């Protein structure tokens, strides 16, 4: 059972949350330009505030403190996205396997079909066939078993085949031509 001070702090924080959550989410959205991330950033900021609630409630302007936490989280998110874009650009610039006459419509069809797959199937197919990772490396990257990779890749390829109305080799060829690089799904 909590003490009277803990209960009062909880009630006070809950009121702060209700008053400022929407404003903090809007701030996160405007800072990052990502509406989906805005709620997460606001929630993360409020969680951080709850962990330091004694310090926050003693601050002269707790709302300003909260906005600062959101701004810092948004900055961290933006920096991570910039680093990721730089890594992707570096990988693309080192690619040597450019197609002479790429089948652009076929590649676009495969990309659209990939988006319709559930995440794990899509990740397995992309890592195996576009990045040419082994089953073991794919399993390590996704934190799943090799058996799960085999199963999800097989099911993903079958679903792509159904969605595209084509044979599996054609799907593999177009998946390998996606802008992530790779030449196929050979196991190493």
């Amino acid at each position: 059972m909590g003490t009277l001070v803990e209960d009062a702090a909880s009630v006070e924080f809950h009121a702060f949350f209700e008053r400022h959550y929407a404003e903090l989410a809007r701030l996160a959205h405007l800072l990052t330009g990502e509406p989906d991330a805005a709620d997460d950033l606001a929630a993360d900021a409020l969680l951080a505030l709850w962990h330091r609630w004694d310090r926050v409630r003693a601050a002269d302007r707790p709302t300003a403190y909260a906005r600062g936490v959101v701004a810092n989280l948004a900055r961290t998110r933006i920096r991570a996205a910039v680093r990721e874009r730089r890594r992707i650009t570096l990988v693309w610039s080192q690619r040597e396997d450019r197609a002479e006459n790429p089948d652009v419509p076929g590649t676009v069809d495969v990309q659209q079909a990939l988006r319709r797959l559930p995440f794990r199937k899509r990740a397995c197919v992309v890592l195996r066939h576009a990045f040419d990772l082994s089953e073991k490396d794919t399993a390590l990257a996704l934190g799943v078993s090799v058996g799960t990779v085999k199963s999800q890749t097989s099911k993903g390829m079958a679903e792509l085949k159904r969605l595209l109305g084509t044979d599996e080799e054609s799907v593999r060829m177009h998946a390998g031509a996606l802008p992530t690089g790779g030449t196929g799904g050979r196991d190493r």
Side-chain angles (χ1 to χ4, degrees):
M1 188 188 282
T3 66
L4 189 57
V5 173
E6 288 172 346
D7 292 339
S10 180
V11 168
E12 190 178 62
F13 177 77
H14 183 73
F16 183 87
F17 180 98
E18 292 295 324
R19 270 192 320 272
H20 298 289
Y21 178 79
E23 172 196 348
L24 296 174
R26 183 169 180 261
L27 174 62
H29 177 210
L30 292 172
L31 291 174
T32 63
E34 299 177 37
D36 296 336
D39 286 331
D40 291 342
L41 286 173
D44 290 347
L46 285 161
L47 179 63
L49 292 173
W50 171 244
H51 289 296
R52 298 185 209 101
W53 188 242
D54 288 339
R55 204 175 341 157
V56 174
R57 67 196 275 206
D60 290 337
R61 298 184 344 222
T63 306
Y65 188 92
R67 288 184 193 124
V69 172
V70 169
N72 286 334
L73 289 171
R75 181 182 308 114
T76 299
R77 183 177 185 87
I78 290 166
R79 285 179 177 164
V82 167
R83 281 192 304 273
E84 182 65 20
R85 278 189 222 114
R86 285 182 184 149
R87 282 192 290 267
I88 289 169
T89 301
L90 179 63
V91 168
W92 276 34
S93 69
Q94 294 175 349
R95 277 188 59 200
E96 295 178 18
D97 57 336
R98 305 264 185 227
E100 297 254 342
N101 295 312
D103 178 7
V104 175
T107 301
V108 169
D109 290 345
V110 171
Q111 287 175 330
Q112 289 173 343
L114 277 169
R115 286 188 202 103
R116 294 178 63 188
L117 294 179
F119 176 77
R120 186 171 288 167
K121 286 180 189 171
R122 180 178 38 204
C124 287
V125 168
V126 168
L127 290 172
R128 292 281 293 126
H129 298 291
F131 280 88
D132 200 25
L133 291 185
S134 69
E135 291 168 343
K136 182 180 178 184
D137 289 341
T138 301
L140 287 171
L142 297 176
V144 298
S145 70
V146 171
T148 298
V149 170
K150 289 179 182 181
S151 168
Q152 294 296 296
T153 302
S154 175
K155 289 175 182 176
M157 290 300 288
E159 196 165 334
L160 283 175
K161 181 179 172 184
R162 183 186 59 77
L163 289 169
L164 295 168
T166 186
D167 64 359
E168 191 167 312
E169 189 54 40
S170 179
V171 172
R172 286 181 193 206
M173 180 185 75
H174 287 95
L178 292 175
T180 49
T183 56
R186 294 181 309 271
D187 213 10
R188 293 180 197 145

